[in-house]
């Protein structure tokens, strides 16, 4: 699972690099990003959050209680999702101009940018249908203990999109040479990028079918929805819908502010300070959480769900403690690494989009930095509520996060210069998830009888932070000195990143051993065992 997630995230990251090389990180890419984010937001809003959070426990229950091992329940779920998403997709494609205007009034005020964004959106919006099919098939497999396919098939999507943007570069040239913009992008170029984006998700979803057949699940349409448990699941899902709605409202606010700030910054000569910078930095920033935390909890969630159904509070607590402590071993040093090395990291990786644009992404990545720790912790904590089929509490928790994020982002937009406003919004998200994870922790501790293994968990996080903070300080100092001496071009950024990473890793490992962090020692032992040493 972790290997599949790593390959998926790395190819996804490579995809953003090729995008930046093809169309830069300015207003044209902002238009593409807004169009590409739309289907994800709408999909999650109409049911994606419920599919991920509510239906795994329901599928596990159906496997345990139904005579056919839950096959009929899975088919009813797949049929319902397919019908719902088909109708939603058709409506959204027709409403594309309204959706774009809602996401970014700034884009809507420019006829050229508006036309390009709507064209992209009409190609991208149908991807939500394939997202839903992929997730349902993946959850059917997850409930049967088969996790690999859902982690590996996104690689196919990334490969298709990489090939699409590679073809764009071959046909039109790289951004540093072409300087392509919404005013100069041709209809043929728009079609190439749009069709490639849609094809990628279609391939990802259809590639799941052989794995489902391999698991012994015979897929066929089932329209007998009543009286088979879907009503209960939908009742639970209503809170998840509100959960997602609150989250997406916060994202809409950030998108509106970031696109406006990015356009203002670009007019004053600073590219890489808009929504694309936010989006690319966010994808880099969440990669450790997606590789480590999600992989750990994808495997643990069915076990937690069974323990919750059996009333075994101690087992639920132990698994949640394990998830928090195990993921923290990688998450804490990665968070400090983003803070210390964000600029050379982005300046090297996004060099194809121009030096200033790449640096802009780096500053946003630094601002996200430490928020990775509460972001990962919150993800684990919320799985505890879902195991008990409590979807109302996560809604209230996310409402807090969305309100804090939107309010703080608005203040950053008003108080900071356009060049730094988006970096402030990234820091605002870290503040929001810190408050949200604290609220969720207190509520879950109460639900589990006042015991969440708190002292042990906090001790692990404190020791890891004590090892990572000095390591980041040393690495950041070395990296900035090298950037000053060698410049912020690709070569200087490479030297700063390599030397800084080596300093950070060596100092962190030395201090972690000195502090006798048990979880870190266990991870090293596991790695040595895998390497045969």
């Amino acid at each position: 699972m972790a290997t599949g997630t790593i390959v998926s995230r790395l190819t996804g990251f490579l995809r953003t690099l090729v995008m930046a090389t093809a169309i830069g990180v300015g207003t044209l890419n902002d238009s593409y990003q807004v169009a590409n984010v739309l289907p994800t937001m709408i999909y999650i809003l109409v049911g994606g959050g419920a599919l991920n959070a509510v239906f795994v426990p329901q599928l596990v229950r159906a496997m345990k209680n139904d005579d056919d091992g839950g096959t009929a329940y899975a088919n009813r779920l797949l049929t319902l999702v397919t019908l719902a998403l088909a109708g939603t997709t058709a409506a959204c494609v027709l409403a594309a101009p309204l959706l774009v205007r809602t996401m970014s009034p700034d884009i809507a005020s420019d006829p050229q940018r508006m036309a390009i964004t709507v064209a992209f959106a009409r190609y991208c919006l149908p991807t939500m249908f394939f997202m839903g099919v992929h997730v349902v098939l993946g959850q059917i497999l997850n409930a049967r203990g088969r996790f690999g396919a859902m982690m590996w098939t996104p690689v196919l999507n990334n490969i298709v999109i990489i090939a699409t943007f590679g073809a764009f570069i071959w046909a039109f040239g790289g951004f540093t040479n072409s300087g392509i913009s919404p005013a100069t992008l041709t209809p043929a170029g728009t079609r190439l990028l749009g069709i490639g984006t849609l094809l990628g998700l279609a391939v990802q979803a259809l590639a799941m079918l052989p794995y489902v057949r391999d698991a012994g699940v015979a897929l066929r349409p089932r329209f007998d929805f009543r009286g088979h448990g879907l009503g209960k699941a939908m009742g639970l899902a209503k809170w998840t819908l509100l959960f997602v709605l609150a989250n997406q409202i916060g994202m809409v606010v950030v998108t509106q502010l970031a696109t406006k700030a990015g356009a203002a910054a670009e007019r004053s000569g600073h590219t890489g300070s808009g929504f694309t910078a936010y989006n690319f930095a966010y994808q880099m920033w969440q990669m450790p959480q997606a590789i480590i935390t999600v992989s750990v909890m994808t495997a643990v969630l069915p076990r937690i769900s069974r323990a919750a159904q059996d009333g075994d509070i101690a087992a639920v607590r132990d698994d949640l403690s394990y998830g928090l402590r195990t993921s923290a071993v990688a998450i804490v040093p990665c968070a400090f690494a983003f803070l210390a090395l964000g600029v050379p990291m982005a300046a090297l990786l996004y060099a194809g989009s121009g030096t200033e644009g790449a640096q802009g992404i780096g500053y946003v990545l630094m601002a996200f930095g430490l928020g990775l720790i509460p972001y990962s912790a919150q993800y684990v904590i919320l799985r505890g509520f879902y195991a008990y089929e409590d979807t109302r509490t996560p809604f209230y928790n996310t409402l807090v996060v969305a309100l804090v994020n939107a309010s703080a982002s608005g203040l950053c937009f008003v108080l900071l210069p356009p060049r730094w406003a988006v970096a402030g919004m990234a820091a605002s998200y870290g503040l929001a998830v810190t408050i949200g994870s604290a609220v969720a922790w207190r509520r879950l501790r109460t639900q589990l009888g006042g015991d969440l293994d708190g002292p042990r968990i906090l001790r692990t996080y404190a020791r890891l932070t004590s090892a990572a903070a000095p390591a980041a300080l040393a690495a950041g100092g070395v990296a900035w000195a090298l950037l000053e001496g060698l410049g912020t071009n690709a070569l200087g950024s490479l030297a700063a990143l390599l030397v800084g990473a080596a300093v950070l890793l060596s100092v962190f490992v030395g201090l972690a051993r000195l502090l006798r962090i048990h979880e870190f020692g266990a991870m090293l032992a596991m790695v040595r065992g895998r390497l045969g040493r």
Side-chain angles (χ1 to χ4, degrees), residues 20-105:
T21 303
I23 58 176
V25 293
T27 52
L28 176 57
N29 207 331
D30 280 2
S31 291
Y32 177 82
Q33 294 300 321
V34 167
N36 202 27
V37 162
L38 264 174
T40 303
M41 293 180 66
I42 297 169
Y43 157 72
I44 294 175
L45 181 61
V46 299
L51 290 175
N52 283 319
V54 174
F55 287 103
V56 169
Q58 295 298 315
L59 286 165
V60 170
R61 185 189 299 274
M63 285 180 60
K64 182 178 179 181
N65 297 333
D66 295 356
D67 294 336
D68 65 350
T71 297
Y73 185 92
N75 278 317
R76 293 184 189 99
L77 176 60
L78 179 61
T79 304
L80 183 62
V81 168
T82 301
L83 292 173
L85 285 177
T88 303
T89 298
C92 288
V93 169
L94 293 174
L98 176 61
L99 294 172
V100 171
R101 190 171 290 108
T102 302
M103 287 290 287
S104 179

Side-chain angles (χ1 to χ4, degrees), residues 19 87 95 360 403 516:
M19 284 181 186
L403 289 173
R516 298 180 180 179

Side-chain angles (χ1 to χ4, degrees), residues 319-344:
D319 279 335
L320 289 172
S321 174
Y322 167 82
L324 286 165
R325 291 181 291 104
T326 302
S327 60
V329 174
I331 293 298
V332 172
C334 284
F336 279 93
F338 288 137
L339 178 63
L341 305 173
V343 169

Side-chain angles (χ1 to χ4, degrees), residues 196-404:
T197 301
L198 176 56
L199 181 62
L201 262 296
V203 170
Q204 173 181 307
L206 297 176
M208 295 290 287
L209 295 174
Y211 294 98
V212 175
R213 285 197 300 268
D214 228 22
V217 180
L219 295 176
R220 55 178 57 88
R222 294 289 298 256
F223 299 96
D224 52 334
F225 303 129
R226 293 184 179 275
H228 295 284
L230 286 174
K232 177 185 177 182
M234 295 305 291
L236 294 170
K238 70 180 180 183
W239 289 107
T240 305
L241 174 63
L242 293 172
F243 167 103
V244 171
L245 179 61
N247 195 39
Q248 297 307 316
I249 288 174
M251 188 61 193
V252 169
V253 171
V254 170
T255 302
Q256 291 180 347
L257 297 176
T259 52
K260 191 168 185 178
E266 189 163 303
R267 286 193 294 270
S268 63
H270 300 291
T271 60
S273 302
F275 183 59
T276 297
Y278 186 97
N279 214 15
F280 282 7
Y282 178 80
Q283 290 178 47
M284 293 172 64
W285 172 74
Q286 70 164 188
M287 192 179 296
Q289 190 262 358
I291 292 171
I292 304 299
T293 312
V294 173
S295 294
V296 169
M297 295 311 297
T298 298
V300 171
L301 182 57
R303 193 168 71 202
I304 295 176
S305 299
R306 285 190 288 269
Q309 290 174 20
D310 295 338
D312 191 347
I313 293 177
V316 172
R317 180 199 62 221
D318 291 345
D319 279 335
L320 289 172
S321 174
Y322 167 82
L324 286 165
R325 291 181 291 104
T326 302
S327 60
V329 174
I331 293 298
V332 172
C334 284
F336 279 93
F338 288 137
L339 178 63
L341 305 173
V343 169
M345 194 180 300
L348 173 64
L349 296 172
Y350 291 99
S353 65
T355 301
E356 185 164 8
Q359 282 185 306
I361 297 172
Y363 291 128
V364 178
L365 182 58
M366 287 181 66
F368 271 120
L370 297 183
L372 182 65
I373 299 171
Y375 178 70
S376 174
Q378 179 183 247
Y379 181 89
V380 176
I381 294 167
L382 292 183
R383 302 312 104 177
F385 295 110
Y386 293 137
Y388 282 98
E389 300 181 350
D390 176 6
T391 53
R392 179 164 51 182
T393 302
F395 158 67
Y396 290 124
N397 184 79
T398 299
L399 187 61
V400 171
V401 173
L403 289 173
V404 173

